[in-house]
Amino acid sequence: MILRGYEPGDLEAVAGLITDSIHGLAVTAYDARQLDAWAPRPPDLEHWRRRLGSMHVVLACEDGRPSGVIGFHASGHVDLLFTHPDAARRGVAAALHAEVERRLAAEGVTELFTEASEIARPFFGSRGYVVVRREVVQARGVDLHRYVMRRAGPRAR
């Protein structure tokens, strides 16, 4: 596995990975209407171009293709973290999260926070994040629940 920065030419592959991840891994926690609202098929590439361009993004690549993606902000906000269903539970998300921790620690960040899906909540919990609150947000007019989670950053622990 190679970790590298996102490049504009990765857009289609990353948008596809996120869509496949949502539809392949979140199916046990969200119904079909919620999944379609969260990740329409085909992916809205302009949405992802804007979204990914607004943050730092690191990819995990295997065999030349992205197997995971993490997006974060200098504030300590882990904005998104997805692995392809074929790469789930193989250490991809852990490697991406560790890379973000390393980068943010170098910048002196003292707290990390995220909004985790039902599926991602255990992953973040295993890394010391605690649920601050459960919230309901809308995607394309459909309610989705998620968890606001926080933890002390790498330097503050």
Side-chain angles (χ1 to χ4, degrees), residues 73 75-79 111-115 124 129 148-151:
H73 301 272
S75 64
H77 181 212
V78 178
D79 195 308
E111 184 178 57
L112 301 177
F113 60 100
T114 194
E115 299 82 24
F124 284 103
Y129 289 74
V148 175
M149 302 181 76
R150 295 190 175 279
R151 71 154 237 217

Side-chain angles (χ1 to χ4, degrees), residues 25-155:
L25 300 175
V27 69
T28 59
Y30 300 92
D31 65 35
R33 189 168 162 240
Q34 290 172 312
L35 296 173
D36 289 339
W38 184 6
R41 290 182 172 154
D44 179 346
L45 295 181
E46 189 52 39
H47 164 79
W48 286 114
R49 182 184 329 279
R50 286 190 309 272
R51 181 104 189 269
L52 296 169
S54 72
M55 65 185 89
H56 304 284
V57 179
V58 178
L59 302 180
C61 296
E62 299 175 275
D63 299 324
R65 294 186 348 240
S67 57
V69 59
I70 192 167
F72 66 101
H73 301 272
S75 64
H77 181 212
V78 178
D79 195 308
L80 57 84
L81 174 59
F82 293 98
T83 59
H84 190 277
D86 295 341
R89 293 167 191 68
R90 291 196 358 238
V92 173
L96 287 166
H97 190 270
E99 176 65 12
V100 168
E101 281 185 307
R102 184 189 66 73
R103 290 182 185 200
L104 292 174
E107 297 298 319
V109 172
T110 60
E111 184 178 57
L112 301 177
F113 60 100
T114 194
E115 299 82 24
S117 69
E118 190 70 48
I119 299 303
R121 186 172 55 115
F123 172 85
F124 284 103
S126 73
R127 277 146 187 82
Y129 289 74
V130 295
V131 173
V132 174
R133 71 182 173 279
R134 183 180 188 267
E135 65 181 8
V136 176
V137 296
Q138 282 204 339
R140 294 169 181 79
V142 177
D143 286 348
L144 297 166
H145 68 277
R146 65 183 187 183
Y147 300 88
V148 175
M149 302 181 76
R150 295 190 175 279
R151 71 154 237 217
R155 290 201 152 197

